[in-house]
Amino acid sequence: MDITLSENQYNLVYNSLSFVIASMGAALLFFLLVRNRVAPQHRMAVTLSTLVVGIALYHYVRIFGSWNDAFSYTNRKFVQDGRPFNEGYRYVDWLLTVPLLLAELVVVLKLAKVKTRSLLVRLSIAAVAMIALGYPGEIAASDSSARTIWAVASTVPFLYILFVLFVELGRSLDRQSDGVRKLLDVLRYIILATWGVYPVAYMLPSLMDNQANAEVARQVMYSLGDVLAKPLFGLLVLAIALAKSREDGYVEAGLVGAGSSDHA
Amino acid sequence: MDITLSENQYNLVYNSLSFVIASMGAALLFFLLVRNRVAPQHRMAVTLSTLVVGIALYHYVRIFGSWNDAFSYTNRKFVQDGRPFNEGYRYVDWLLTVPLLLAELVVVLKLAKVKTRSLLVRLSIAAVAMIALGYPGEIAASDSSARTIWAVASTVPFLYILFVLFVELGRSLDRQSDGVRKLLDVLRYIILATWGVYPVAYMLPSLMDNQANAEVARQVMYSLGDVLAKPLFGLLVLAIALAKSREDGYVEAGLVGAGSSDHA
């Protein structure tokens, strides 16, 4: 399934991958610089966001290099005749980052300890199952039924995660303020919307006849999905952590003098 | 539109790109080192400046590499016969940094929350529209009318941004001190002057007959524009944040002793 891409097709993927590198790097810097604005008791969720974008930054540098090495440039076309493009980086990334993303969401809520532990264990197992079951289909031939079978298998833990987030978690939000609950709603719908991008991208090689177009669309969609699911998701978790810090009356060191001068 | 450059022409671009890498790296380090001099409530603008020069640093390292890979050196000439020079890096960079630059300006003013949010949303949409509409013209053939058409389309959101900054924002500055208002005037004229460099650079391939000269002038102007619009702009935002910190009576931890020794 080696493909030939036009300059524009190749560059679209190339620039999408580079865009993700820049976004992850910027998010990493941002989460590191603003963590002191969050009260210490709510900082763990921001720490997890920082790990997620750091891990993704590393993997996108690798994916970018692998994409580059997979093609040669001849007669103004990019021909995929080099080392195989390594789709495995994405799955290793997700294996690490998806449990961490779900943990961000659980940790920032500060539920009872027993509840938190139970949610973390079940969501992590489901996330690992979802990704491990997806991989054999990802590397299967585009016209094989294996692709569809593994996709269906991978959907089962995905639906379980949605059940936990929307039904089970919905019942334990009575301790959260209205502001936090609103942000949390946005967060869950972002999970629904952005995680919905992945299965579509996954199935494209089976749905589209032109394998070059399918590959370009797939890489661009995965890249876009990762920017929404990691930096944007992390920003919303940060917003919840900041709202909770304010509710707890947290004032960043150095702000006290400024506050009192307002009353002068 | 492959071109052949003299050693001097090639080196002028090469050294301009390297100059930008050094400038962005120095600015990144500087903004990180001085952030504690700014009161926490005014630090977000400096954080955004830091992200801007960090993102630009990444992209200029890539642009530098792409410029290098695009040319081979034969008979004391540089011939553009390698992988196509990737103009996309600049546009991906601007897509991320221009909304952040405008956000720096809005955030440092500390206007009312509703006003801030409204300005951020409108300016970001206009910035993304301006850059997205510019790209198709940038990669169009130098003698095509597409270049001019997209340039005009891109100018519409650009004029809207200027209207917001000069007319609308001018009306909400009554809460700012005289010192801050003066710095803000400089800042807005820097936007006007430096952002004016970009459209000229953009149109050069259509305006100049010699495509080698046009490409050299274009790359040098874009590079110069980015140094003015990012590190220099960031320094002015920092000056405003520092002025506001002083007005709020902020004293950096450790400076108290220094202050009292002045009276000794």
Side-chain angles (χ1 to χ4, degrees):
Chain A
M1 71 158 245
D2 286 353
I3 50 174
T4 299
L5 300 180
S6 74
E7 284 188 8
N8 281 341
Q9 284 180 317
Y10 179 87
N11 282 339
L12 186 57
V13 175
Y14 187 90
N15 288 324
S16 299
L17 297 176
S18 180
F19 167 73
V20 183
I21 293 176
S23 303
M24 296 297 172
L28 177 63
L29 196 54
F30 184 71
F31 293 145
L32 287 173
L33 289 176
V34 299
R35 61 182 282 111
N36 283 343
R37 294 176 75 102
V38 178
Q41 65 271 28
H42 300 301
R43 227 170 259 170
M44 183 52 82
V46 180
T47 302
L48 297 178
S49 302
T50 313
L51 298 189
V52 165
V53 294
I55 294 168
L57 172 63
Y58 164 76
H59 282 115
Y60 268 88
V61 170
R62 291 281 189 213
I63 294 171
F64 184 86
S66 177
W67 178 259
N68 233 344
D69 294 343
F71 290 84
S72 68
Y73 180 62
T74 33
N75 298 322
R76 298 189 171 272
K77 294 273 176 196
F78 285 90
V79 185
Q80 191 180 6
D81 55 3
R83 297 200 166 200
F85 177 60
N86 182 13
E87 210 66 62
Y89 287 130
R90 293 198 182 279
Y91 281 77
V92 175
D93 181 78
W94 294 335
L95 212 53
L96 290 163
T97 56
V98 175
L100 286 171
L101 282 168
L102 293 168
E104 279 176 42
L105 178 56
V106 172
V107 164
V108 84
L109 293 177
K110 284 212 153 269
L111 306 170
K113 256 200 178 133
V114 182
K115 185 76 191 161
T116 298
R117 194 174 308 159
S118 151
L119 281 169
L120 286 180
V121 170
R122 285 181 291 135
L123 287 173
S124 296
I125 292 172
V128 168
M130 174 177 79
I131 292 149
L133 291 171
Y135 187 63
E138 180 78 79
I139 56 170
S142 61
D143 54 355
S144 84
S145 58
R147 237 184 143 72
T148 316
I149 292 166
W150 289 110
V152 172
S154 169
T155 305
V156 177
F158 175 54
L159 292 177
Y160 176 73
I161 292 172
L162 291 183
F163 168 79
V164 171
L165 293 186
F166 281 84
V167 182
E168 188 183 337
L169 206 60
R171 293 198 205 103
S172 18
L173 296 183
D174 41 303
R175 276 171 59 178
Q176 312 296 323
S177 71
D178 281 354
V180 167
R181 227 178 296 185
K182 246 175 238 169
L183 284 168
L184 193 72
D185 269 346
V186 178
L187 204 61
R188 293 192 293 183
Y189 285 108
I190 280 189
I191 289 187
L192 197 61
T194 66
W195 288 25
V197 170
Y198 296 99
V200 176
Y202 182 95
M203 289 311 292
L204 279 181
S206 305
L207 300 174
M208 289 171 74
D209 283 339
N210 183 327
Q211 286 305 302
N213 283 341
E215 178 66 5
V216 170
R218 202 162 64 94
Q219 295 304 331
V220 171
M221 287 178 80
Y222 275 154
S223 302
L224 190 69
D226 277 345
V227 170
L228 299 173
K230 286 167 178 141
L232 181 68
F233 186 86
L235 283 175
L236 275 160
V237 167
L238 174 67
I240 294 180
L242 285 170
K244 287 180 158 247
S245 301
R246 273 193 302 272
E247 286 167 12
D248 288 359
Y250 174 72
V251 178
E252 190 182 357
L255 277 179
V256 183
S260 59
S261 79
D262 282 351
H263 303 295
Chain B
M1 73 158 242
D2 286 352
I3 50 173
T4 299
L5 299 180
S6 73
E7 287 187 0
N8 282 340
Q9 283 180 316
Y10 180 87
N11 283 338
L12 185 58
V13 175
Y14 187 89
N15 289 324
S16 298
L17 297 176
S18 180
F19 166 73
V20 184
I21 292 176
S23 304
M24 296 296 173
L28 175 63
L29 199 53
F30 183 70
F31 292 146
L32 287 173
L33 290 174
V34 300
R35 61 182 280 111
N36 284 343
R37 294 179 73 102
V38 176
Q41 67 272 27
H42 300 303
R43 225 171 259 168
M44 183 54 79
V46 181
T47 300
L48 298 178
S49 303
T50 313
L51 297 189
V52 165
V53 294
I55 293 168
L57 173 63
Y58 164 75
H59 282 115
Y60 268 90
V61 170
R62 291 279 190 211
I63 293 170
F64 185 85
S66 178
W67 179 259
N68 236 342
D69 294 342
F71 290 84
S72 69
Y73 181 61
T74 32
N75 298 323
R76 299 187 170 273
K77 294 273 178 196
F78 285 91
V79 184
Q80 190 180 5
D81 56 5
R83 293 201 170 200
F85 177 61
N86 182 16
E87 210 67 60
Y89 287 131
R90 294 199 182 278
Y91 281 78
V92 174
D93 180 77
W94 294 335
L95 212 53
L96 290 164
T97 55
V98 176
L100 286 171
L101 283 168
L102 292 169
E104 281 177 40
L105 178 57
V106 172
V107 164
V108 83
L109 293 178
K110 285 213 151 268
L111 306 171
K113 253 199 179 135
V114 181
K115 184 77 191 160
T116 299
R117 193 174 307 162
S118 150
L119 282 170
L120 287 180
V121 170
R122 286 182 290 134
L123 287 173
S124 297
I125 292 173
V128 168
M130 174 176 78
I131 293 150
L133 291 171
Y135 187 63
E138 181 77 81
I139 57 170
S142 60
D143 54 355
S144 83
S145 58
R147 238 186 143 70
T148 316
I149 292 167
W150 289 110
V152 171
S154 169
T155 305
V156 176
F158 176 53
L159 292 177
Y160 176 73
I161 292 172
L162 291 183
F163 169 80
V164 171
L165 293 186
F166 282 84
V167 182
E168 187 183 338
L169 206 61
R171 293 198 205 104
S172 19
L173 296 183
D174 41 304
R175 274 171 62 178
Q176 312 295 324
S177 71
D178 282 353
V180 167
R181 225 178 297 187
K182 247 175 236 168
L183 284 168
L184 193 72
D185 269 346
V186 179
L187 204 61
R188 293 192 293 183
Y189 284 108
I190 281 190
I191 290 187
L192 196 61
T194 66
W195 288 25
V197 171
Y198 296 99
V200 176
Y202 182 97
M203 289 311 292
L204 279 181
S206 305
L207 299 174
M208 290 170 73
D209 282 339
N210 183 326
Q211 287 304 305
N213 283 340
E215 178 67 4
V216 170
R218 202 163 64 95
Q219 295 303 331
V220 171
M221 285 178 81
Y222 275 153
S223 302
L224 189 69
D226 277 345
V227 170
L228 299 173
K230 286 168 179 140
L232 180 67
F233 186 86
L235 283 174
L236 275 160
V237 168
L238 174 67
I240 294 179
L242 284 170
K244 285 180 160 249
S245 301
R246 274 192 303 273
E247 287 167 12
D248 287 358
Y250 173 72
V251 179
E252 189 182 356
L255 276 180
V256 184
S260 59
S261 79
D262 282 351
H263 303 296

